[in-house]
Amino acid sequence: MRYISAPWRADYVRKALSMKRCIFCEALKSRNDRSTVVLYRGRRTFVLLNRYPYTPGHLLIAPKRHVADFAESRPDERAELADLLRVALRLLRIRYAPHGFNAGMNLGASAGAGVAGHYHLHVVPRWTGDANFMPLVGATRVFIEDLDTTYQRLRPLFDKERARRERAGRPKRPTATHSR
Protein backbone atom coordinates (compact mmCIF):
# COMPACT_ATOMS: atom_id res chain seq x y z
CA MET A 1 0.00 0.00 0.00
CA ARG A 2 1.26 3.49 -0.88
CA TYR A 3 0.60 6.50 1.34
CA ILE A 4 0.29 9.99 -0.02
CA SER A 5 1.28 12.89 2.19
CA ALA A 6 -0.40 16.31 1.99
CA PRO A 7 1.65 18.42 4.43
CA TRP A 8 0.29 21.74 3.16
CA ARG A 9 -3.11 20.83 4.65
CA ALA A 10 -1.80 20.64 8.25
CA ASP A 11 -1.86 24.40 8.89
CA TYR A 12 -5.36 24.68 7.45
CA VAL A 13 -6.72 21.78 9.52
CA ARG A 14 -5.17 23.13 12.73
CA LYS A 15 -6.57 26.59 12.04
CA ALA A 16 -10.04 25.25 11.15
CA LEU A 17 -10.17 23.07 14.26
CA SER A 18 -9.34 26.04 16.48
CA MET A 19 -11.96 28.34 14.93
CA LYS A 20 -14.93 29.25 17.09
CA ARG A 21 -17.10 30.14 14.11
CA CYS A 22 -18.26 27.88 11.30
CA ILE A 23 -16.87 28.95 7.92
CA PHE A 24 -19.98 27.62 6.19
CA CYS A 25 -22.40 29.52 8.42
CA GLU A 26 -20.26 32.65 8.08
CA ALA A 27 -20.33 32.33 4.27
CA LEU A 28 -24.11 32.00 4.34
CA LYS A 29 -24.50 35.10 6.54
CA SER A 30 -22.46 37.16 4.11
CA ARG A 31 -24.24 38.57 1.10
CA ASN A 32 -20.93 39.01 -0.70
CA ASP A 33 -20.69 35.73 -2.57
CA ARG A 34 -17.47 36.71 -4.31
CA SER A 35 -15.54 37.30 -1.07
CA THR A 36 -16.88 34.06 0.42
CA VAL A 37 -16.46 32.21 -2.91
CA VAL A 38 -20.08 31.03 -2.84
CA LEU A 39 -21.03 29.88 -6.33
CA TYR A 40 -24.65 28.88 -5.80
CA ARG A 41 -27.33 29.10 -3.09
CA GLY A 42 -30.06 26.50 -3.28
CA ARG A 43 -33.08 26.19 -1.02
CA ARG A 44 -31.45 23.77 1.42
CA THR A 45 -27.80 23.57 0.34
CA PHE A 46 -25.14 25.72 -1.29
CA VAL A 47 -21.94 25.40 -3.34
CA LEU A 48 -18.66 27.18 -2.70
CA LEU A 49 -15.03 26.85 -3.67
CA ASN A 50 -12.55 25.21 -1.35
CA ARG A 51 -10.09 27.92 -0.27
CA TYR A 52 -7.32 25.31 -0.09
CA PRO A 53 -8.07 23.24 -3.19
CA TYR A 54 -6.35 20.06 -4.24
CA THR A 55 -7.02 20.97 -7.88
CA PRO A 56 -8.66 23.90 -9.72
CA GLY A 57 -12.42 23.61 -9.46
CA HIS A 58 -12.40 21.86 -6.04
CA LEU A 59 -15.94 22.55 -4.80
CA LEU A 60 -17.76 22.02 -1.54
CA ILE A 61 -21.49 21.35 -1.28
CA ALA A 62 -22.97 21.87 2.18
CA PRO A 63 -26.38 22.14 3.80
CA LYS A 64 -27.48 25.60 4.87
CA ARG A 65 -28.48 24.14 8.22
CA HIS A 66 -25.58 23.72 10.66
CA VAL A 67 -25.42 19.94 11.09
CA ALA A 68 -22.32 17.84 11.75
CA ASP A 69 -23.27 14.46 10.39
CA PHE A 70 -24.78 13.44 7.07
CA ALA A 71 -26.75 10.77 8.98
CA GLU A 72 -28.61 13.64 10.71
CA SER A 73 -29.53 15.37 7.46
CA ARG A 74 -33.11 15.69 6.29
CA PRO A 75 -34.41 13.98 3.15
CA ASP A 76 -34.82 17.31 1.32
CA GLU A 77 -31.22 18.29 2.19
CA ARG A 78 -29.91 14.96 0.94
CA ALA A 79 -31.93 15.19 -2.26
CA GLU A 80 -30.75 18.72 -3.03
CA LEU A 81 -27.13 17.82 -2.21
CA ALA A 82 -27.31 14.89 -4.64
CA ASP A 83 -28.88 17.12 -7.29
CA LEU A 84 -26.18 19.78 -6.83
CA LEU A 85 -23.50 17.10 -7.08
CA ARG A 86 -24.96 16.16 -10.48
CA VAL A 87 -24.99 19.84 -11.51
CA ALA A 88 -21.43 20.42 -10.24
CA LEU A 89 -20.12 17.43 -12.18
CA ARG A 90 -21.81 18.67 -15.36
CA LEU A 91 -20.53 22.25 -14.98
CA LEU A 92 -17.00 21.18 -14.05
CA ARG A 93 -16.92 18.96 -17.15
CA ILE A 94 -17.95 21.95 -19.28
CA ARG A 95 -15.39 24.36 -17.81
CA TYR A 96 -12.43 22.10 -16.95
CA ALA A 97 -12.83 18.83 -18.91
CA PRO A 98 -11.38 16.65 -16.10
CA HIS A 99 -10.65 12.98 -16.70
CA GLY A 100 -12.47 11.99 -13.50
CA PHE A 101 -13.63 13.14 -10.07
CA ASN A 102 -13.24 12.43 -6.39
CA ALA A 103 -16.38 13.11 -4.36
CA GLY A 104 -16.57 12.44 -0.65
CA MET A 105 -17.09 13.57 2.91
CA ASN A 106 -14.76 13.62 5.91
CA LEU A 107 -17.15 13.19 8.83
CA GLY A 108 -15.56 14.06 12.16
CA ALA A 109 -12.17 15.53 13.05
CA SER A 110 -10.50 12.13 13.23
CA ALA A 111 -11.66 11.45 9.66
CA GLY A 112 -9.85 14.56 8.44
CA ALA A 113 -12.72 17.05 8.54
CA GLY A 114 -11.27 20.54 8.78
CA VAL A 115 -14.74 21.77 9.76
CA ALA A 116 -16.18 18.89 11.77
CA GLY A 117 -19.32 20.70 12.95
CA HIS A 118 -20.84 21.28 9.50
CA TYR A 119 -20.74 18.38 7.08
CA HIS A 120 -19.89 19.04 3.45
CA LEU A 121 -19.21 17.12 0.27
CA HIS A 122 -15.93 17.65 -1.57
CA VAL A 123 -16.06 17.52 -5.37
CA VAL A 124 -12.52 17.36 -6.78
CA PRO A 125 -11.85 17.34 -10.53
CA ARG A 126 -8.96 15.01 -11.43
CA TRP A 127 -6.70 14.58 -14.44
CA THR A 128 -4.46 11.69 -15.31
CA GLY A 129 -1.05 12.55 -13.89
CA ASP A 130 -2.25 15.52 -11.79
CA ALA A 131 -0.43 14.28 -8.68
CA ASN A 132 3.23 15.22 -8.83
CA PHE A 133 6.35 15.23 -6.70
CA MET A 134 6.45 18.97 -5.87
CA PRO A 135 4.37 18.91 -2.65
CA LEU A 136 6.12 15.81 -1.39
CA VAL A 137 9.73 16.56 -2.24
CA GLY A 138 9.82 20.33 -2.59
CA ALA A 139 7.14 21.33 -0.05
CA THR A 140 5.71 23.39 -2.92
CA ARG A 141 2.39 23.25 -4.67
CA VAL A 142 2.01 24.24 -8.29
CA PHE A 143 -1.37 25.59 -9.34
CA ILE A 144 -2.38 26.52 -12.82
CA GLU A 145 -5.09 28.88 -11.58
CA ASP A 146 -5.75 31.13 -8.57
CA LEU A 147 -9.01 31.03 -6.60
CA ASP A 148 -10.38 34.26 -8.09
CA THR A 149 -9.91 32.93 -11.62
CA THR A 150 -11.66 29.68 -10.69
CA TYR A 151 -14.54 31.70 -9.24
CA GLN A 152 -14.79 33.81 -12.41
CA ARG A 153 -14.82 30.70 -14.58
CA LEU A 154 -17.47 28.83 -12.60
CA ARG A 155 -19.84 31.52 -11.26
CA PRO A 156 -21.39 32.34 -14.68
CA LEU A 157 -22.23 28.66 -15.19
CA PHE A 158 -23.90 28.44 -11.77
CA ASP A 159 -25.75 31.71 -12.51
CA LYS A 160 -27.11 30.17 -15.73
CA GLU A 161 -28.13 27.08 -13.75
CA ARG A 162 -29.95 29.28 -11.22
CA ALA A 163 -31.79 31.14 -13.99
CA ARG A 164 -32.70 27.86 -15.70
CA ARG A 165 -34.11 26.49 -12.45
CA GLU A 166 -36.07 29.67 -11.78
CA ARG A 167 -37.61 29.50 -15.26
CA ALA A 168 -38.45 25.83 -14.80
CA GLY A 169 -40.07 26.50 -11.43
CA ARG A 170 -42.39 29.23 -12.66
CA PRO A 171 -45.82 28.28 -13.91
CA LYS A 172 -46.07 28.75 -17.64
CA ARG A 173 -48.18 31.61 -18.86
CA PRO A 174 -51.33 30.54 -20.59
CA THR A 175 -51.13 31.17 -24.29
CA ALA A 176 -53.85 33.20 -25.91
CA THR A 177 -56.11 31.32 -28.24
CA HIS A 178 -57.87 33.02 -31.05
CA SER A 179 -61.27 31.85 -32.18
CA ARG A 180 -63.08 33.01 -35.22
Side-chain angles (χ1 to χ4, degrees):
M1 176 183 303
R2 292 175 43 192
Y3 291 91
I4 298 173
S5 174
W8 62 88
R9 300 280 295 167
D11 289 339
Y12 167 69
V13 171
R14 277 191 220 82
K15 181 179 170 187
L17 291 174
S18 68
M19 286 183 63
K20 301 287 186 235
R21 296 177 300 201
C22 173
I23 62 168
F24 295 104
C25 293
E26 292 295 315
L28 283 171
K29 285 179 195 171
S30 172
R31 295 325 272 166
N32 186 342
D33 286 351
R34 188 178 191 98
S35 72
T36 57
V37 292
V38 171
L39 294 167
Y40 182 87
R41 293 172 186 256
R43 293 187 66 203
R44 306 279 184 239
T45 60
F46 68 110
V47 180
L48 68 162
L49 292 174
N50 187 324
R51 288 197 180 276
Y52 299 92
Y54 285 110
T55 63
H58 181 165
L59 306 178
L60 304 171
I61 305 172
K64 288 182 172 181
R65 188 170 63 98
H66 186 85
V67 58
D69 194 341
F70 180 74
E72 297 171 12
S73 64
R74 298 178 186 145
D76 55 348
E77 291 167 332
R78 290 190 302 270
E80 189 172 291
L81 184 134
D83 184 52
L84 283 180
L85 171 60
R86 183 187 57 79
V87 167
L89 295 173
R90 180 173 52 82
L91 299 182
L92 288 166
R93 281 186 181 108
I94 290 168
R95 187 58 73 215
Y96 287 97
H99 300 142
F101 293 94
N102 291 121
M105 295 180 198
N106 302 325
L107 300 172
S110 64
V115 181
H118 197 137
Y119 84 83
H120 51 284
L121 174 68
H122 290 258
V123 182
V124 184
R126 300 302 305 266
W127 294 265
T128 303
D130 66 6
N132 64 47
F133 68 93
M134 290 297 286
L136 302 175
V137 176
T140 303
R141 298 186 71 209
V142 178
F143 259 84
I144 61 169
E145 180 171 281
D146 64 40
L147 201 59
D148 190 54
T149 301
T150 303
Y151 186 87
Q152 290 175 35
R153 292 186 77 195
L154 288 173
R155 180 62 191 248
L157 294 177
F158 278 96
D159 287 346
K160 286 181 185 176
E161 178 66 19
R162 179 181 303 104
R164 186 190 67 73
R165 286 170 181 250
E166 287 172 359
R167 284 191 307 274
R170 289 189 190 137
K172 298 197 191 283
R173 288 186 190 171
T175 54
T177 56
H178 299 288
S179 54
R180 293 182 186 220

